[in-house]
Amino acid sequence: MKRFLLPTAAALGLAIAASHANADTVLRASHQFPGGQGDIRDEMVQMMARHVADADVGLTIEVYPGQSLFKAREQWGAIARGRLDITSLPLDYASGRHPEFSATLMPGLVRNQAHAQRLNDSEYMTMIKDVIIEGGARVLADAWLSGGFASSEQCITSPETVEGQAFRAAGPAFEEMLEAAGAPIASMPSSDIYAAMQTGVLDAANTSSMSFISYRLYEQVECLTEPGDYALWFMYEPVLISEQVWQGLNEAQQTALMEAGEAAEAFFAEEAAAIDQEMIDIYEENGVEVVSMSEDDYNAWLEIARETSYKNFADNVPNGQAIIDAALAVE
């Protein structure tokens, strides 16, 4: 008769360890944007997940779009504490914790996509990324989105056109500028704009061109101000990884993630220029009036911004003036 011996505790431990060694490390990626609907930020993260899987380094990225894992405003805190692994995040959402991040959504600071690419390699971005690292995350891929304004009341061009309109601004710098122009402010993530307009909480909003498309805001507005030649609105929305999580990965896994980030960033750079025109086409097809700011409109807004958001940032944020100067030094 054969004897079947029960495994010893030591043998069990070795078997479990071997099983774990063969299993992939699973990273959870969360973002607020619609999944599988062509939003370029979702596509960046999905592309990175595929790239890492193809690298075969024992790493899997599970993507949770549409706030299905964390709410938009919760993601930075979760990343910083290591509760979330990866996110695509409008960085200014974390400016309450790190006020330096307001410089990544400063009126008129970025002129166009080519200028944004130059900023990525500047001292300005080095200063921002130092704060990101200190806060508990690191950048895997840079991304800047242009944006505009939309209203259910009247077209927004000069500062006078926002007076009295309940306005969603994307962050403190724009809130300060718009409030100075006479617009009551309601703070919320872009994912909440549609419902707020639908219920009459908002009359107007500014957000990225991609969010104007993804969140179908053309169903709620009468007029869109597209970026045009005088884009007042540019926002930095990088793909981030928790620094705690990063330090727990091996070198091959880190290399695969960096290569995935580079591929996603290159994809984004190619697609970004077409997003504004796609937005214009969709809004016009849905009967929304589309207008642009003139140079005089743009300069009038900048004058208000310099007296409000720029001044407040320089006066109240650690190293604030140096960050602004570093950005303005990039031609």
Side-chain angles (χ1 to χ4, degrees):
M1 177 184 293
K2 291 183 179 180
R3 298 178 61 195
F4 294 92
L5 300 178
L6 293 175
T8 64
L12 276 173
L14 288 172
I16 292 170
S19 174
H20 284 182
N22 292 329
D24 278 5
T25 297
V26 177
L27 303 183
R28 298 181 305 163
S30 166
H31 63 73
Q32 74 195 64
F33 313 109
Q37 298 180 32
D39 189 296
I40 194 170
R41 294 157 294 193
D42 174 61
E43 292 184 358
M44 284 181 74
V45 180
Q46 300 285 359
M47 174 183 284
M48 291 178 66
R50 293 192 298 271
H51 192 289
V52 166
D54 290 344
D56 193 22
V57 290
L59 200 59
T60 296
I61 298 176
E62 296 178 347
V63 184
Y64 297 83
Q67 303 188 93
S68 57
L69 189 61
F70 285 93
K71 296 297 183 184
R73 300 286 188 182
E74 297 172 351
Q75 291 175 135
W76 172 263
I79 278 277
R81 293 193 295 272
R83 294 175 53 229
L84 173 62
D85 305 318
I86 292 172
T87 187
S88 171
L89 179 74
L91 192 64
D92 189 76
Y93 283 13
S95 60
R97 296 172 184 260
H98 302 282
E100 296 93 339
F101 293 164
S102 285
T104 63
L105 183 60
M106 191 70 72
L109 194 65
V110 184
R111 295 188 294 275
N112 50 51
Q113 283 292 343
H115 187 216
Q117 295 305 309
R118 294 194 294 275
L119 282 170
N120 285 340
D121 297 321
S122 70
E123 177 63 21
Y124 156 80
M125 188 54 74
T126 297
M127 297 167 81
I128 295 297
K129 288 183 177 179
D130 284 346
V131 179
I132 293 173
I133 287 285
E134 290 168 6
R138 86 171 41 221
V139 174
L140 294 175
D142 294 314
W144 288 89
L145 283 96
S146 55
F149 299 75
S151 172
S152 60
E153 298 297 316
Q154 67 170 347
C155 294
I156 295 167
T157 50
S158 65
E160 295 78 20
T161 58
V162 304
E163 188 171 354
Q165 293 199 61
F167 217 107
R168 181 268 182 179
F174 269 88
E175 288 178 354
E176 290 162 359
M177 181 187 73
L178 287 162
E179 194 168 29
I185 300 299
S187 298
M188 64 187 71
S190 56
S191 47
D192 292 347
I193 295 174
Y194 188 103
M197 284 190 156
Q198 191 175 43
T199 55
V201 172
L202 288 181
D203 300 314
N206 61 7
T207 189
S208 71
S209 298
M210 191 73 256
S211 289
F212 272 123
I213 297 169
S214 295
Y215 295 124
R216 302 171 64 91
L217 298 182
Y218 50 81
E219 297 178 351
Q220 299 296 327
V221 303
E222 297 296 327
C223 187
L224 169 75
T225 308
E226 55 101 1
D229 294 330
Y230 300 100
L232 196 66
W233 199 103
F234 262 85
M235 188 176 201
Y236 183 57
E237 302 191 22
V239 179
L240 303 173
I241 186 169
S242 166
E243 183 65 11
Q244 291 183 41
V245 172
W246 174 263
Q247 295 299 335
L249 301 175
N250 63 43
E251 185 176 352
Q253 291 168 335
Q254 291 177 347
T255 298
L257 277 168
M258 292 305 296
E259 290 176 350
E262 290 171 4
E265 186 175 319
F267 160 76
F268 176 87
E270 289 182 6
E271 296 292 322
I275 294 174
D276 292 344
Q277 188 58 52
E278 181 184 356
M279 173 185 67
I280 292 168
D281 293 343
I282 290 173
Y283 275 68
E284 288 180 339
E285 289 167 5
N286 283 273
V288 176
E289 182 180 0
V290 178
V291 300
S292 303
M293 286 188 186
S294 68
E295 184 176 7
D296 287 343
D297 294 332
Y298 177 82
N299 288 333
W301 279 114
L302 276 187
E303 186 176 345
I304 295 173
R306 291 187 185 106
E307 293 301 316
T308 55
S309 51
Y310 278 57
K311 185 176 186 302
N312 290 339
F313 187 85
D315 290 347
N316 299 311
V317 175
N319 220 23
Q321 188 62 59
I323 293 173
I324 289 176
D325 289 344
L328 295 176
V330 179
E331 294 298 328

